């Protein structure tokens, strides 16, 4: 009995020794095949170890290279233009002198600047206001799920597919007093022969009308997207309570839709402040200086009159105006969004 017990203990100790020595033999023979994700296998950590640490640390910087190149491509010409504004570069003066802020002083003391600024504000406010009202109205009509609405929704983007300068040239031909199709269609009503772009008021209104024709679909598409994203439960509750269309529109639709509409207003107002193509193609700033906005004034000073530094100063002033207007509107948009989401300020 005792001898068999001792034999069993001896066999067990020899098995333990064999098991304990197995890893040593495996390590001496070298790493074997591994099918897991452990340190010695071909899993994720093994792959990461195959990539040098300096390359892993360099990846975030490589990802921002395109953004840095784009930012540099924007800031370099802006900084160069800002640098030129403190000199008197002109075609008649090949050796410019440092003038400091003299160009800006000339701008703000020039009556033509204030005339152009007034025309710019009138154009931007008029175009943005009309496009907002018409865009929201068109979106409300297209929001109804009808066959006509679905067809018009596809046709709505056609003006956006035309370049603004091409649209202005087409409308310039259509508004001709003698051979234009607009006067031809209005002649049976006794309105033929109207000088659409030959008077200061008519030229400004015609430019705004072309802008409205081109960009109202943009506002309508944004407003339509906003309408389709609104919750339906408040409108269903209002319908159960017997609320009318005007009450629902005034108390429910517009307060919830206003953040989307304001985004369209911000885009259109900023774009209208720096308009060039529509007005120049339609009226070239005429008659006289009645439609010379700040962008066209900068072009005339820098290109036509070849006063480069003075024209660039106009552009810097226009950039400052657009930036301030955008900052005010974006802050107002943030307050509207917080109010709509009931987030405390």
């Amino acid at each position: 009995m005792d001898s068999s017990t001792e034999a069993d203990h001896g066999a067990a100790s020899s098995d333990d020794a064999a098991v304990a020595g197995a890893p040593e033999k495996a390590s001496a023979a070298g790493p074997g095949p591994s099918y897991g994700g452990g340190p010695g296998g071909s899993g994720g950590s093994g792959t990461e170890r195959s990539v040098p640490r300096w390359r892993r640390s360099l990846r975030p910087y490589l990802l921002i290279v395109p953004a840095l190149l784009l930012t540099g491509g924007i800031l370099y010409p802006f900084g160069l233009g800002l640098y030129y504004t403190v000199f008197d570069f002109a075609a008649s003066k090949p050796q410019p002198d440092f003038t400091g802020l003299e160009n800006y002083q000339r701008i703000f003391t020039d009556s033509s600047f204030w005339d152009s600024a007034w025309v710019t504000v009138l154009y931007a406010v008029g175009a943005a206001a009309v496009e907002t009202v018409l865009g929201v109205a068109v979106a409300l009509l297209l929001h109804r799920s009808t066959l006509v609405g679905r067809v018009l929704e596809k046709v709505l983007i056609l003006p956006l597919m035309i370049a603004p300068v091409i649209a202005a040239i087409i409308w310039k031909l259509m508004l001709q007093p003698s051979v234009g199709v607009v006067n031809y269609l209005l002649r049976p009503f006794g309105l033929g022969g109207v000088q659409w772009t030959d008077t200061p008021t008519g030229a400004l209104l015609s430019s705004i009308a072309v802008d409205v024709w081109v960009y109202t679909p943009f506002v309508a598409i944004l407003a339509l997207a906003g309408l389709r994203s609104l919750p339906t439960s408040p409108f269903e509750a209002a319908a159960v309570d017997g609320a009318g269309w005007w009450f629902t529109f005034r108390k429910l639709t517009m307060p919830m839709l206003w953040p989307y509409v304001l985004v369209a207003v911000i885009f259109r107002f900023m774009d209208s402040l720096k308009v060039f193509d529509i007005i120049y193609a339609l009226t070239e700033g005429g008659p006289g200086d009645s439609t010379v906005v700040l962008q066209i004034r900068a072009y005339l000073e820098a290109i036509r009159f070849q006063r480069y530094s003075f024209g660039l100063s106009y552009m810097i002033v226009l950039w400052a105006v657009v930036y301030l207007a955008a900052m005010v509107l974006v802050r107002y948009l943030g307050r509207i969004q917080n109010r709509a989401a009931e987030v405390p300020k």
Side-chain angles (χ1 to χ4, degrees):
M1 190 72 175
D2 294 337
S3 60
S4 61
T5 304
E6 291 177 357
D8 293 339
H9 281 296
S13 60
S14 61
D15 292 339
D16 294 339
V19 172
E24 298 178 359
K25 293 180 180 179
S27 61
S34 177
Y35 302 99
S42 58
S45 59
T47 305
E48 289 182 2
R49 287 184 178 180
S50 64
V51 179
R53 180 174 296 178
W54 66 270
R55 287 181 59 183
R56 292 200 303 270
S57 62
L58 194 62
R59 284 175 183 173
Y61 301 99
L62 292 177
L63 292 175
I64 65 172
V65 166
L68 292 177
L69 292 176
L70 181 62
T71 305
I74 294 174
L75 293 181
Y76 175 74
F78 177 79
L80 188 62
L82 190 64
Y83 169 76
Y84 284 156
T85 59
V86 297
F87 292 88
D88 56 351
F89 280 96
S92 59
K93 193 168 187 180
Q95 298 296 329
D97 298 325
F98 179 79
T99 58
L101 300 178
E102 182 179 341
N103 288 321
Y104 297 101
Q105 183 180 0
R106 287 176 55 195
I107 286 176
F108 290 112
T109 56
D110 190 1
S111 60
S112 61
F113 166 77
W114 298 107
D115 294 338
S116 298
W118 176 243
V119 175
T120 303
V121 171
L122 287 179
Y123 183 92
V125 172
V130 177
E131 289 164 10
T132 301
V133 174
L134 288 181
V136 172
V138 172
L140 290 173
L141 292 175
L142 296 180
H143 187 53
R144 301 176 180 272
S145 299
T146 61
L147 178 61
V148 177
R150 289 192 293 270
V151 173
L152 291 179
E153 183 180 349
K154 306 301 186 296
V155 179
L156 187 66
I157 64 174
L158 289 179
L160 293 175
M161 300 171 64
I162 303 175
V165 65
I166 302 299
I169 293 174
I170 294 174
W171 276 97
K172 184 177 183 178
L173 297 174
M174 294 172 61
L175 295 175
Q176 288 292 325
S178 57
V179 297
V181 67
V182 174
N183 280 342
Y184 176 79
L185 295 176
L186 294 177
R187 193 170 299 157
F189 303 96
L191 300 175
V194 178
Q195 306 291 327
W196 294 101
T197 59
D198 294 339
T199 61
T201 303
L204 181 60
L205 293 178
S206 299
S207 302
I208 293 176
V210 175
D211 195 297
V212 168
W213 183 82
V214 173
Y215 291 109
T216 294
F218 172 77
V219 181
I221 290 173
L222 287 183
L224 183 61
L227 284 172
R228 291 178 175 174
S229 66
L230 298 181
T232 58
S233 54
F235 300 95
E236 294 173 353
V240 170
D241 293 339
W245 179 87
W246 175 246
F247 179 86
T248 303
F249 174 77
R250 187 165 48 93
K251 296 296 185 179
L252 292 178
T253 305
M254 280 310 298
M256 290 190 291
L257 186 64
W258 183 238
Y260 301 93
V261 176
L262 190 58
V263 170
V265 171
I266 291 173
F267 277 103
R268 289 307 313 134
F269 185 71
M270 290 191 300
D271 198 31
S272 298
L273 283 176
K274 53 186 181 63
V275 66
F276 176 84
D277 44 10
I278 290 179
I279 294 181
Y280 193 79
L282 187 66
T283 66
E284 296 186 8
D289 290 343
S290 58
T291 56
V292 175
V293 292
L294 289 176
Q295 188 87 302
I296 295 181
R297 179 71 66 184
Y299 164 80
L300 294 176
E301 293 291 344
I303 305 302
R304 183 168 297 181
F305 304 144
Q306 297 182 344
R307 295 194 286 260
Y308 308 125
S309 293
F310 195 53
L312 284 170
S313 301
Y314 263 99
M315 292 302 301
I316 296 298
V317 171
L318 178 60
W319 169 83
V321 171
V322 174
Y323 177 80
L324 292 175
M327 185 172 60
V328 172
L329 290 174
V330 168
R331 287 185 178 179
Y332 179 66
L333 174 62
R335 291 198 298 267
I336 292 296
Q337 289 176 336
N338 291 338
R339 191 182 310 166
E342 297 181 355
V343 176
K345 297 180 181 179

